[in-house]
Amino acid sequence: MNEVTGEVTGPMPNFDNAASDRKFVVICSKGNLDMAYPGLVLANAALGEGLEVHLFFTFWGLDMITKKRMESLQFTTIGNTAAHMPPGPEGAPVDDTAATAMFRKQIADVGVPEVPDFLEQIVASGGHLWACKMSVDMMQLNKDDLYDEVEDIMNASDFIVMSEGAQLLFI
Amino acid sequence: MTTAIINGTQVHVNEEGFLTNYDEWNEEIAKVLAANIGIDLTDEHWKVIRFLRDDFPTQGETATIRRTSTVGGFDIKQLFALFPQKPAKKMAYIAGLPKPRGCV
């Protein structure tokens, strides 16, 4: 053990979370690639600030934690004016492969991981992942179909109990 | 410009106490800063601190947890164990660097 005898005189950062006891819950309800990120980024940031963090995946958000879909989420320009893409001929089939590839590259260029890697980071940082029971039942899935780090399938009542006192974000 | 006296040496810091001049840091200062936030530096801590110090001049900003993991090769669980609760900020503070700017 090092003997440290020095002292600091001056401003001090506040790293003490004991007084706040904050809890952060994100409901992820979208399966589009671009809409997967806001919840993941904020959950990760909250973990980095020492908060207790839970992510609850419901409806299309379940794709983010479904093994056969989580690696192939798509970005679409349809109905998204902020994609800044010219409209195609009316009724023409749309191929989102290029748009998705470009989106993935832009995300990678800023050092942000793909969705499965991001979930792994969140779990390694102490975050908790939960699947919505009603959505799992609707899509005829079971626990084995879900990402291994998902802790459990949770019904609406369980969610209300789990999220007591939390700051809640619906995406 | 705010200053602080650390271990008898005057250094420049921001309003939160993070050192603002890369060259004013040394390992003795790091030990005092760490002790100040309840961390006793082990070899494992030093590996992380040295990575941050080496990485900063190449990037112009402090490595995030993501970068410390992917580029530095450190396990994220271990980073949270070594620097509990707020690893990115605690690592930066001890390494005499600004808080990371990146979101992830």
Side-chain angles (χ1 to χ4, degrees):
Chain A
M1 181 147 171
N2 298 326
E3 189 68 26
V4 179
T5 54
E7 61 176 30
V8 180
T9 306
M12 273 273 302
N14 179 16
F15 292 132
D16 182 15
N17 271 10
S20 70
D21 212 17
R22 280 172 71 185
K23 183 174 177 180
F24 188 59
V25 173
V26 186
I27 302 175
C28 299
S29 74
K30 303 286 197 297
N32 291 3
L33 181 60
D34 50 326
M35 290 309 291
Y37 277 96
L40 298 177
V41 170
L42 292 174
N44 185 63
L47 287 162
E49 288 300 312
L51 276 64
E52 177 182 336
V53 174
H54 299 261
L55 292 107
F56 181 74
F57 299 88
T58 186
F59 280 83
W60 317 122
L62 207 56
D63 276 10
M64 292 170 65
I65 53 162
T66 302
K67 282 176 187 165
K68 68 177 182 185
R69 298 191 190 274
M70 62 193 294
E71 290 177 8
S72 54
L73 301 182
Q74 299 288 301
F75 170 64
T76 180
T77 59
I78 304 266
N80 182 1
T81 56
H84 310 298
M85 300 286 279
E90 193 174 346
V94 173
D95 180 359
D96 288 319
T97 308
T100 297
M102 180 178 283
F103 186 89
R104 283 185 196 282
K105 182 178 182 306
Q106 288 174 320
I107 288 283
D109 285 349
V110 291
V112 175
E114 300 262 350
V115 168
D117 281 356
F118 214 159
L119 288 169
E120 187 181 334
Q121 173 167 335
I122 284 169
V123 170
S125 304
H128 304 275
L129 312 180
W130 307 98
C132 162
K133 173 159 174 53
M134 180 177 153
S135 307
V136 167
D137 290 349
M138 280 170 61
M139 296 176 197
Q140 301 182 347
L141 300 171
N142 61 52
K143 183 87 165 52
D144 292 339
D145 297 314
L146 303 176
Y147 178 52
D148 290 338
E149 299 294 343
V150 173
E151 291 185 30
D152 211 346
I153 297 167
M154 186 182 269
N155 70 21
S157 296
D158 293 338
F159 174 82
I160 295 298
V161 172
M162 178 275 282
S163 61
E164 181 181 359
Q167 289 176 288
L168 199 60
L169 180 62
F170 181 88
I171 293 175
Chain B
M1 184 67 81
T2 310
T3 59
I5 308 292
I6 300 174
N7 214 17
T9 305
Q10 180 166 307
V11 294
H12 292 89
V13 297
N14 70 7
E15 66 283 358
E16 288 185 274
F18 286 72
L19 268 67
T20 54
N21 186 335
Y22 182 88
D23 295 320
E24 287 181 347
W25 179 92
N26 60 48
E27 296 198 353
E28 292 308 310
I29 284 177
K31 288 178 192 169
V32 176
L33 292 173
N36 202 33
I37 59 170
I39 292 176
D40 180 33
L41 293 176
T42 65
D43 288 347
E44 296 306 307
H45 291 94
W46 279 113
K47 287 177 191 166
V48 180
I49 300 298
R50 291 193 181 110
F51 167 73
L52 288 186
R53 291 289 302 176
D54 292 344
D55 187 66
F56 182 84
T58 71
Q59 301 298 308
E61 60 182 300
T62 306
T64 61
I65 289 291
R66 180 75 191 167
R67 183 172 173 84
T68 306
S69 167
T70 56
V71 178
F74 296 97
D75 179 67
I76 288 178
K77 276 185 190 169
Q78 188 196 17
L79 294 176
F80 272 83
L82 291 171
F83 305 92
Q85 299 277 306
K86 302 185 183 186
K89 287 183 179 173
K90 288 184 176 178
M91 285 154 43
Y93 177 68
I94 297 168
L97 301 171
K99 289 185 287 190
R101 290 203 304 258
C103 287
V104 179

